[in-house]
Amino acid sequence: MMLHTRYSLALLGLCAWFSFQVYGRPTHKPTTAGIHVSRQFDSSDMYVNWPTYDELPRDPSFPTKAAWGVWGPKDELGALNHITSATIEAAKEEIKEGIAISMNLELEIPNPPMNPLRPELIHAVIPFEGYQDDMISLNTQVSTQFDGLRHYPYSTAGNISTYQFYNDLITFDDIVSPARIKTLGIQNAAQKGIAGRGVLLDWAGWKESKNETFDAFSFFNITTSDLDSVASWQNLPSNFTRPGDFLIIRSGFMKQYSLLPINQEQVLPFRAGDDAAWIGLEPNEETLRWIWEKKISLLGSDDPSIEPHPENSVIGGVKRNLHQIFIGGWGMSLVEFLDLETLAQTCHKLNRFTFFFTLQNLNMAGGIASPPNAMAIL
Ligand SMILES: *[C@@H]1O[C@H](CO)[C@@H](O)[C@H](O)[C@H]1NC(C)=O
Ligand SMILES: *[C@@H]1O[C@H](CO)[C@@H](O)[C@H](O)[C@H]1NC(C)=O
Ligand SMILES: *[C@@H]1O[C@H](CO)[C@@H](O)[C@H](O)[C@H]1NC(C)=O
Ligand SMILES: *[C@@H]1O[C@H](CO)[C@@H](O)[C@H](O)[C@H]1NC(C)=O
């Protein structure tokens, strides 16, 4: 959930209409798809010629650390390509106790939304004679959310004319165009079939175990060296991820939120300027390198945006946040505002922090984000 609200507003059913009202009739710019330097594939081993972090980007004209072309110049799945039949099949070993745990908040939580510009969910019950339907209108950036590849582009100096989406396949105008271009829409992630092994790093639990206090509603960096320490505290091996894993970090944001008195829930989203802060992964090169080398398919957490807020990081000499590189650069979706409380308790009880997971996005052609319908099975 980031603050480019006007551009990420994804009211189901109303999206195309809304875009049209706000932006008028956009002009369609040709894209530069197809001109990229792409990787030589070896179908017997997809990691042959796999670029190291230092080898990114593959063409100096691409933006900071972009992985454009790594899965081919027209690829629309990005890091989800790490999920294969083999990774799913191997993950079945994680189901041992037969415990299934939802990782989704109720759809209207947090309420009011953490970004006050985003409208609250609308739920209408429609009574008929002897039965009823209901209708839901939601901004997909409010509750537990899977950020799709239309959500966040590179933007140099925050300038709309410099927006560059994953693999440079679309322009901002394409997304808001009434031509109903579907490229990079959430339907790709809905139709891919997302399942495999999840790994939980309970950073907040680790801090608590050391009696170290922190405020999840402040700008606070979770570092990769912290995360390696968390893994070892949880008795995970040093190579605790495998290609295709869904790596999940518990920051403690939602626990702290759930303990707020209701009047504070009302006030929290309306903090001004630098006070509108929260915890997240340190936005720097170490974080990027650490994540890239793990070949994970997805990165998730219980906080609003994976990275801390407000964002003012500089990466590779350019003002960049992690969203730009993860989503726009690597095609790696982020799963935010996960409910990790029951999962974390269960993992500690079983002394086991890996599990099978499934995730099913809404099959919304051209959609930007989605409730993930994420489940852990232990
Ligand atoms: C945005 O970038 C374009 C192209 O580089 C430039 O012409 C324009 O002045 C910039 N707009 C702003 C508001 O900086
Ligand atoms: C944390 O505090 C509790 C209660 O005061 C104490 O029993 C425990 O030893 C402390 N743990 C550490 C790691 O300091
Ligand atoms: C992880 O490391 C252990 C030893 O530290 C090794 O036995 C195992 O094969 C490694 N697993 C992977 C997937 O590389
Ligand atoms: C968080 O990390 C960034 C990037 O390394 C750094 O610039 C910033 O000073 C850190 N902020 C805090 C509060 O630790």
Side-chain angles (χ1 to χ4, degrees):
M1 182 188 95
M2 309 302 288
L3 290 179
H4 281 261
T5 308
R6 288 192 303 144
Y7 316 122
S8 59
L9 194 69
L11 279 169
L12 293 178
L14 294 178
C15 183
W17 171 84
F18 181 82
S19 306
F20 187 77
Q21 299 302 312
V22 172
Y23 301 105
R25 210 175 290 278
T27 51
H28 183 261
K29 280 189 221 147
T31 73
T32 49
I35 61 165
H36 295 148
V37 180
S38 67
R39 185 167 61 108
Q40 288 290 304
F41 279 111
D42 175 345
S43 54
S44 66
D45 178 355
M46 68 177 173
Y47 296 121
V48 168
N49 304 318
W50 182 255
T52 64
Y53 179 74
D54 291 323
E55 286 164 356
L56 296 177
R58 298 191 58 79
D59 185 295
S61 72
F62 296 170
T64 312
K65 290 296 170 189
W68 294 358
V70 165
W71 298 106
K74 298 249 169 77
D75 173 64
E76 296 186 42
L77 285 174
L80 290 179
N81 283 298
H82 288 300
I83 296 175
T84 64
S85 301
T87 64
I88 297 173
E89 214 267 338
K92 74 183 181 198
E93 299 299 326
E94 302 296 329
I95 303 179
K96 296 191 169 97
E97 279 84 11
I99 302 172
I101 301 172
S102 159
M103 293 190 269
N104 313 288
L105 295 172
E106 289 182 8
L107 281 177
E108 68 271 39
I109 293 176
N111 186 0
M114 279 300 291
N115 175 347
L117 296 174
R118 290 179 164 132
E120 288 171 19
L121 174 138
I122 301 167
H123 179 210
V125 173
I126 306 167
F128 290 97
E129 193 66 40
Y131 61 98
Q132 36 276 327
D133 297 357
D134 61 357
M135 231 171 82
I136 302 169
S137 169
L138 60 91
N139 181 313
T140 52
Q141 292 292 314
V142 169
S143 186
T144 311
Q145 68 202 244
F146 181 106
D147 284 351
L149 304 189
R150 293 184 143 201
H151 175 54
Y152 221 86
Y154 281 98
S155 64
T156 303
N159 185 330
I160 293 176
S161 76
T162 66
Y163 277 12
Q164 289 177 291
F165 292 84
Y166 175 63
N167 261 346
D168 208 13
L169 292 178
I170 46 170
T171 64
F172 178 65
D173 283 350
D174 290 337
I175 293 181
V176 298
S177 152
R180 303 179 83 68
I181 293 161
K182 309 283 172 35
T183 313
L184 293 184
I186 198 81
Q187 77 282 358
N188 294 311
Q191 292 164 20
K192 154 76 182 163
I194 302 177
R197 194 177 79 146
V199 181
L200 176 70
L201 293 180
D202 183 9
W203 180 89
W206 172 73
K207 290 291 273 188
E208 279 168 26
S209 79
K210 302 196 296 171
N211 291 339
E212 285 178 15
T213 55
F214 62 94
D215 180 7
F217 306 151
S218 70
F219 188 106
F220 195 106
N221 287 326
I222 296 177
T223 67
T224 54
S225 95
D226 280 358
L227 294 177
D228 283 325
S229 301
V230 174
S232 112
W233 174 69
Q234 291 177 182
N235 294 316
L236 289 168
S238 57
N239 55 357
F240 56 89
T241 57
R242 299 196 297 233
D245 279 357
F246 176 16
L247 180 62
I248 303 172
I249 296 157
R250 180 169 172 267
S251 70
F253 182 98
M254 276 317 296
K255 180 183 176 189
Q256 191 171 328
Y257 183 87
S258 71
L259 297 172
L260 285 177
I262 194 152
N263 68 317
Q264 290 302 313
E265 282 180 16
Q266 299 297 312
V267 170
L268 189 68
F270 296 95
R271 297 172 299 162
D274 283 351
D275 289 339
W278 57 72
I279 193 166
L281 265 184
E282 181 173 19
N284 67 358
E285 295 264 9
E286 282 69 35
T287 296
L288 289 167
R289 180 187 304 278
W290 191 87
I291 300 283
W292 175 260
E293 301 295 353
K294 289 185 162 30
K295 305 184 179 71
I296 58 174
S297 58
L298 288 168
L299 182 60
S301 85
D302 58 343
D303 58 51
S305 54
I306 305 279
E307 61 190 307
H309 199 78
E311 293 140 28
N312 44 28
S313 46
V314 172
I315 299 174
V318 186
K319 192 173 184 306
R320 290 267 180 254
N321 61 19
L322 294 179
H323 267 60
Q324 294 187 37
I325 298 164
F326 287 158
I327 300 177
W330 301 354
M332 185 177 78
S333 286
L334 305 175
V335 195
E336 296 155 347
F337 269 132
L338 284 162
D339 179 358
L340 301 176
E341 298 312 290
T342 307
L343 177 63
Q345 284 160 20
T346 308
C347 286
H348 283 290
K349 202 169 108 204
L350 300 174
N351 194 22
R352 184 153 83 78
F353 294 86
T354 59
F355 40 86
F356 194 86
F357 86 95
T358 64
L359 188 155
Q360 183 58 59
N361 288 303
L362 296 176
N363 197 358
M364 179 73 228
I368 288 157
S370 172
N373 300 304
M375 181 177 285
I377 308 175
L378 292 101

